[in-house]
Amino acid sequence: MEKRQAILIGPFAQVVTMDNLPLKGKLSDSELEVLGGGQWILLEDELISTIGPYKRLKKDAESVDLEIVHLTRGAVCLPGFVDCHTHICYGGSRANDYAARNNGLSYLEIAEQGGGIWDTVTQTRKATAKSLEHDTIMRAERHLAEGVTTMEVKSGYGLSVNEELIMLRAIANANQKTQADLISTCLAAHILPKDFQGTQQEYLCKIHQELLPKVLSQNLSKRVDIFIEKGAFDRTNSLDYLNKAKGLGFDVTIHADQFSIGGSKLAVEIGAVSADHLEASKGRDIEELAKSDVVAVALPGASMGLGMAFAPARKLLDAGACLAIASDWNPGSAPMGDLLMQAAVLGASEKLSNAEVLAGITYRAAAALSLADRGKICRGFLADLAIFPCQHFNEILYHQGKLKPHKIVKKGKLLGAI
């Protein structure tokens, strides 16, 4: 019988486990479980096995084929990051949109003039399936090198049955070829396509009847998203569409409260997994989110790209909400795609503790994707680790994203050059 494969990695100046923390509400740094004293981590079969001193763990691993990875410099170990909202499958660029915004035009004005989401739809439709797959892999690998081991990826730049399937297949193919985990979401309800001759209701009905069954039968996604906003979809049609999607067995999430309110309220009513954006959320919206099981997802990259206020992260946490933080990496409003930097800047602006920021990009972000097997360093969880060259975890956010991990472990495998 072949021995099981295992890796023993260490020593670590600190292991920040993110274990034994609540899913909802505010957190203080004193609540973090931080293991010091030169701890090692034993990884077996893609999972975390044990954390402890070298001699004990090496003895525990006598029955396995053990690889020892000895870190020669101080290191802090965090769970691999989870980015629960991205649009990294797309074609083209929207640099002209960025310039137009800086010259005073609003997001909605640019869209009305032919820019915005429809511009990316046009460029994505022109791209080949192979180029969409390749570009998605390249963006995912960059994210992985920066510590993001799991990332959600939306469609939504096809906006027809065939083109959405092309996007979702490109994401699925990319997932097989990158070392990161890509979680796909069907965002066929991004905006009403300009070449569709019909109403919002008729378009959503077509997507429900002709696209979603194929998405399920081809195992392309288990998640459905919709953009509720002026210039996108209204509340009434969104409610009907999401109910139908849930009836088919999809988890649902909502682009909510970006420029106007109403989306987060619907997310609570329908029992969405998450409500994402929330820049416009007010007192009652915040209270209702906090009372629900909906994960509130802040997208600081969109606020930075659009030059607008951040989501009210501090108020959401103080009210008792589960707050995740995601990059919204997309070609229009959030082209940077640096999750750690954006989370650090949000934390400084909204006065979030380091514990709250780290929770927002680890286990709380995993909850926004209905994933209960990652985001913490504890026995039985996926061995996804981001290892930083420093002595104390405070250094990581202090450098506001400039301090990057120097080693990444994904499913128990120490990655080489990414």
Side-chain angles (χ1 to χ4, degrees), residues 257 260-265 268 278 280-291 316:
D257 296 4
S260 60
I261 62 172
S264 65
K265 181 177 177 63
V268 172
L278 308 177
S281 299
K282 305 299 182 185
R284 185 64 181 271
D285 310 307
I286 292 169
E287 291 175 10
E288 291 184 355
L289 282 168
K291 291 177 183 177
L316 283 160

Side-chain angles (χ1 to χ4, degrees), residues 130-390:
K130 202 68 180 174
S131 69
L132 288 175
E133 176 187 322
H134 172 271
D135 291 350
T136 301
I137 292 170
M138 292 301 99
R139 296 175 189 124
E141 293 288 294
R142 196 201 87 177
H143 231 16
L144 180 61
E146 295 178 351
V148 183
T149 51
T150 298
M151 57 207 75
E152 185 255 22
V153 186
K154 301 180 189 294
S155 64
Y157 296 128
L159 302 190
S160 72
V161 172
N162 184 57
E163 298 290 345
E164 284 290 303
L165 288 172
I166 289 172
M167 283 196 73
L168 288 166
R169 289 178 189 133
I171 295 167
N173 290 337
N175 187 44
Q176 297 300 313
K177 298 175 183 179
T178 177
Q179 298 172 99
D181 281 334
L182 309 186
I183 309 299
S184 62
T185 299
C186 180
L187 181 57
H190 204 172
I191 59 171
L192 181 66
K194 292 187 177 183
D195 57 357
F196 181 78
Q197 303 301 312
T199 64
Q200 286 187 16
Q201 184 179 23
E202 289 168 336
Y203 174 73
L204 293 175
C205 184
K206 181 180 179 69
I207 292 302
H208 165 248
Q209 293 178 349
E210 299 181 26
L211 175 62
L212 296 188
K214 292 179 181 178
V215 172
L216 282 179
S217 65
Q218 296 177 34
N219 196 31
L220 294 174
S221 181
K222 298 177 182 178
R223 293 166 44 85
V224 161
D225 194 353
I226 190 168
F227 187 16
I228 300 177
E229 193 55 74
K230 179 184 177 183
F233 293 94
D234 64 34
R235 189 182 186 283
T236 300
N237 289 314
S238 299
L239 174 62
D240 180 63
Y241 174 69
L242 292 173
N243 273 323
K244 289 176 178 176
K246 288 190 73 173
L248 291 173
F250 287 96
D251 283 345
V252 300
T253 182
I254 297 176
H255 278 61
D257 296 4
Q258 183 174 13
F259 304 109
S260 60
I261 62 172
S264 65
K265 181 177 177 63
L266 179 58
V268 172
E269 289 178 7
I270 202 167
V273 177
S274 71
D276 304 23
H277 272 294
L278 308 177
E279 293 91 338
S281 299
K282 305 299 182 185
R284 185 64 181 271
D285 310 307
I286 292 169
E287 291 175 10
E288 291 184 355
L289 282 168
K291 291 177 183 177
S292 75
D293 293 326
V294 179
V295 179
V297 181
L299 304 175
S303 296
M304 296 169 72
L306 295 175
M308 59 188 292
F310 292 118
R314 180 71 271 153
K315 291 180 180 179
L316 283 160
L317 285 165
D318 287 346
C322 175
L323 179 79
I325 304 169
S327 73
D328 195 22
W329 189 353
N330 72 71
S333 59
M336 181 203 310
D338 190 324
L339 176 63
L340 183 60
M341 188 278 279
Q342 293 168 15
V345 170
L346 177 70
S349 178
E350 287 287 302
K351 299 297 181 278
L352 309 182
S353 69
N354 283 352
E356 290 167 337
V357 173
L358 295 177
I361 57 176
T362 56
Y363 74 95
R364 288 180 171 178
L369 299 176
S370 304
L371 299 173
D373 63 348
R374 66 200 71 192
K376 298 183 180 184
I377 303 177
C378 56
R379 183 177 178 84
F381 272 56
L382 274 184
D384 291 357
L385 309 175
I387 302 170
F388 288 81
C390 57

